[in-house]
Amino acid sequence: DSLWKGLTALLLISNLILHMDTVIEILNDVEFHFKTPDLIMAQLYQELEFCNSKVCQFVLGPVTSRTLDLPYLSKAKRMFFKNLMNHTFHGSEVEHGVVLTPDGTTISISHLFAGIAAGLKMKNELTLPEKPLITGPPNNSGEESQLSLDPLISSTISMDLGMTFLLFYSKQNQVALGPNGCWDSISEPRTFILMGPPSYMPDAVINGAMDGFILGTHLVEKVDPPSNISVLLNDYYGSKGLNGKEKIRSNFRRKIFAALLSKEKLQEQVENALGLLWKMNEASSLFEGITDKKLTFLTKQAIDEFMTMYVECPAIIPRCIWGARPYKGTPTQLKLPLGFVYIHHTSTPSKPCQNFSTCAADMRSMQRFHQDDRGWDDIGYRAHPVDPRDTTKSLVDPGEALFA
C-alpha cells in the first residue's frame, strides 16, 4: 500500500511543471494556513531545510527537526517543494532545484528563499544583527582578525561566490562560473540540461542569489508590513513590479543588483566570507597553501569576473529557450577582429515586446520570415557589443536581456 502511494505521488509530481507559477501556486496553499510572511518562511525554513549547510545555518540560525511535514499540502506538492529546495546536479548535465521564470531565466529556489528568509529576519530583528563580528583566521602578524559579515549578502551570494572560485583555484572544478542551460520544454519545463560542465555557481544559482538579495533587501527596507510571499514573487516576476514599479522586476535584476550592492561592498563581503570558510575548514585541502595575499587575489578575481559577466553585461537568452529553429547548413565562425559589421534594423514587429513569451514569439516569427521568405540561413541578428566571444546578439527585451 505504501509503495502504491509513493508511486502515485511520483506520478502526481510529474504533472507539476518546474515553473515559478507552480511555486507561487503552492505558496498560496501554505499562506492559507499561515497568515504572515515571517511565519510562512519560518515554517518553510524549518520543514523544507533549504538552509542545511553549516555556513548558512551559522548566518540564518540552526534548522531544528520538525514533524509536521506540511500536512496541509498534498503529498505530491510536499515532495515537489522539498525536491526544489535541494539544489543538485545529476552527473554533469541535469541541474535540479531550479525553475523557469516568466522572464525566460532560470533560478535556484533555495537561494531565492534564503534571501527572503534573511530579509524577514533582519526586518524583525530576529537574532540577526546587521553586521555581526566574526573572529577570522590569524593574519600575518599572528593576530586574529575581525570579519564583518552581512547576513543577507552572505546567505545569498558572497559565500557561494567565494567558494566557487576557491574550488576553481584548487582545480576541483573546470569552470568558476556558469553555465546556463536549456529546458526540455518551455511550455512544460521538467528537465534543465546544462550547456557545459557545472561550476559551484551555475547561472541559475547566480540568478536565484541575485533575486534573493533583491527581495530580501526590499523586505528589510519596506515600511509597511510585507505582503504575502506569493504576492511578492508574483509582482517581481510579473509585469507589475515591486511596489507597482515596472522597473523593479526580474527583467532588470542586474541593474537593480548593481544599484543595491556596490562592487567594493561585495568584494569586502566575499573576502570576509572566504575568511570565515577558512576559519571553519582550516584542515581542508581547499585551503592548503592559502595566505592572506592569495585570499585577496582570489576575491578580486571572483569579483571582476562576476561583475563583468553577470552585472555589467546583459543576460543572454539562448536559442533553446526562445525556441529557435536549427541553422540551415553549417555556420561559419566569426574571427576577431571583424573587418565590418552590418547593423540590421528590425521594423516588424514595430512595438517592443513586453514579456518573455511575446519576445520569444517575435524572435521565432522573425526567424521564420528570414529563413522561409528571405531564404537566409538563419535569423538576421542585430549586432550588439556584449562580449568578444558573442559577436551577434539581438536586443529585443524591454528589460536587460539579449536573445542569442
Side-chain angles (χ1 to χ4, degrees), residues 277-342:
L277 290 169
W278 189 4
K279 180 69 175 178
M280 298 175 76
N281 303 277
E282 289 178 283
S284 172
S285 60
L286 278 175
F287 292 93
E288 187 175 343
I290 286 288
T291 62
D292 287 342
K293 189 174 181 179
K294 285 183 179 178
L295 209 65
T296 300
F297 170 79
L298 200 62
T299 300
K300 187 178 185 307
Q301 183 184 13
I303 296 303
D304 287 345
E305 289 197 30
F306 169 77
M307 294 297 290
T308 298
M309 293 175 62
Y310 295 96
V311 179
E312 296 167 6
C313 288
I316 303 295
I317 305 295
R319 293 168 64 94
C320 61
I321 296 295
W322 61 263
R325 289 177 176 180
Y327 184 95
K328 287 184 177 180
T330 304
T332 302
Q333 296 296 322
L334 297 177
K335 294 182 180 180
L336 299 178
L338 299 178
F340 59 90
V341 173
Y342 287 108

Side-chain angles (χ1 to χ4, degrees), residues 30 34 38-50 66 68-72:
V30 177
F34 294 90
D38 45 330
L39 283 177
I40 293 165
M41 289 310 298
Q43 182 79 355
L44 294 176
Y45 173 67
Q46 298 289 351
E47 296 185 6
L48 298 179
E49 299 183 1
F50 59 80
R66 302 282 295 211
L68 294 178
D69 200 31
L70 302 173
Y72 35 83

